[in-house]
Amino acid sequence: MRIDIITVLPELLASPFEASILKRAIEKGLVEVHTHNLRDYSTNNYKQIDDYQFGGGAGMVMMIEPIDKCISQLKAERDYDEIIYMTPDGSTFSQGIANELSLKENIIILCGHYKGVDQRVRDHFITREISVGDFVLSGGELAAAVVCDAIIRLIPGVLGNETSALTDSFQDDLLAPPIYTRPAEYKGWKVPEILLSGNTAKIEAWRENEAHKHTEKRRPDLLDD
């Protein structure tokens, strides 16, 4: 998989890909992540990539020309499955969307900034719009990093245990059940006996039941369907 991220602030995206699972995935060659500074595609000597709104109003708007130049250059080099725009009014990101995107080969992610992008970018270039929640960030960079993390960890070979991602919360529209590790007893607080029994079938049944109970208590909306 290859992910190209178009951003006004590429320095914000350096750290997430230089540690832990994402770093190892890149080093293994399982994914490529490239950031592109939108100012490099500016149409004037001032590296301008934003301008005032037509009709007036507060906030600057990302211009169409630099975005067009960047996307067009990338598309001339390879085909892309998705061109994603990170925006607060996009579809709320979910595990299902992460699963779907993890199967793609090449993805472009455009990070919003300022008041947003010229609407013509959304009308003519973007194939999917994603939000990470009902709140506004200073830019789409941190949201893009969240999406990349969720996608990349699903790629076969990225996690040490291939089944680990399949038991995460939300994979079956359920939250994960409670988990425990050593010691089996601490300050009188004991691990459920079933988990120490060695009976795999009973343990899995317990986990499924606990997952339903946990979801019903914390996120009943997940069970509405």
Side-chain angles (χ1 to χ4, degrees):
M1 170 182 277
R2 176 183 170 116
I3 302 174
D4 289 276
I5 306 175
I6 303 173
T7 170
V8 176
L9 297 169
E11 58 271 23
L12 277 180
L13 288 163
S15 177
F17 301 102
E18 293 178 349
S20 191
I21 291 172
L22 301 190
K23 179 182 179 182
R24 292 197 297 271
I26 293 170
E27 290 177 342
K28 287 180 180 180
L30 298 173
V31 64
E32 294 181 44
V33 179
H34 301 271
T35 58
H36 305 272
N37 190 336
L38 190 59
R39 295 191 187 279
D40 293 339
Y41 299 86
S42 174
T43 58
N44 61 40
N45 293 331
Y46 299 101
K47 300 294 183 182
Q48 182 181 1
I49 49 81
D50 64 305
D51 210 334
Y52 295 102
Q53 301 182 51
F54 280 126
M60 304 295 280
V61 180
M62 295 172 70
M63 302 162 67
I64 188 171
E65 296 99 327
I67 296 172
D68 182 13
K69 286 179 65 178
C70 185
I71 291 177
S72 294
Q73 179 175 311
L74 290 171
K75 290 178 69 175
E77 296 169 357
R78 67 193 60 80
D79 293 328
Y80 284 90
D81 303 295
E82 294 276 9
I83 301 177
I84 299 168
Y85 174 46
M86 302 305 305
T87 174
D89 60 348
S91 299
T92 304
F93 191 54
S94 66
Q95 190 62 49
I97 294 175
N99 291 344
E100 180 185 348
L101 293 177
S102 72
L103 302 175
K104 306 295 185 181
E105 185 173 352
N106 298 315
I107 295 172
I108 293 174
I109 300 178
L110 171 62
C111 299
H113 214 70
Y114 310 114
K115 196 68 175 179
V117 300
D118 186 304
Q119 181 63 36
R120 290 168 292 184
V121 172
R122 304 172 77 164
D123 292 341
H124 299 286
F125 298 111
I126 302 304
T127 63
R128 185 190 291 258
E129 300 184 350
I130 291 178
S131 166
V132 293
D134 294 338
F135 49 87
V136 178
L137 298 171
S138 299
E141 286 77 16
L142 298 180
V146 167
V147 169
C148 287
D149 188 297
I151 294 171
I152 292 171
R153 66 190 306 279
L154 296 171
I155 298 172
V158 170
L159 297 181
N161 184 338
E162 292 298 325
T163 63
S164 179
L166 299 178
T167 58
D168 287 339
S169 290
F170 307 112
Q171 282 291 7
D172 297 315
D173 292 326
L174 294 173
L175 300 181
I179 54 175
Y180 301 85
T181 188
R182 294 180 178 84
E185 182 175 347
Y186 181 71
K187 292 186 175 181
W189 306 323
K190 297 181 180 180
V191 172
E193 287 295 331
I194 185 66
L195 297 178
L196 308 176
S197 69
N199 188 319
T200 302
K202 288 185 177 181
I203 290 173
E204 289 306 312
W206 179 88
R207 284 176 171 159
E208 183 175 355
N209 182 59
E210 288 297 314
H212 278 276
K213 288 167 57 178
H214 193 47
T215 304
E216 186 174 14
K217 180 180 179 180
R218 292 175 176 256
R219 289 291 305 277
D221 57 295
L222 295 174
L223 301 174
D224 289 344
D225 294 335

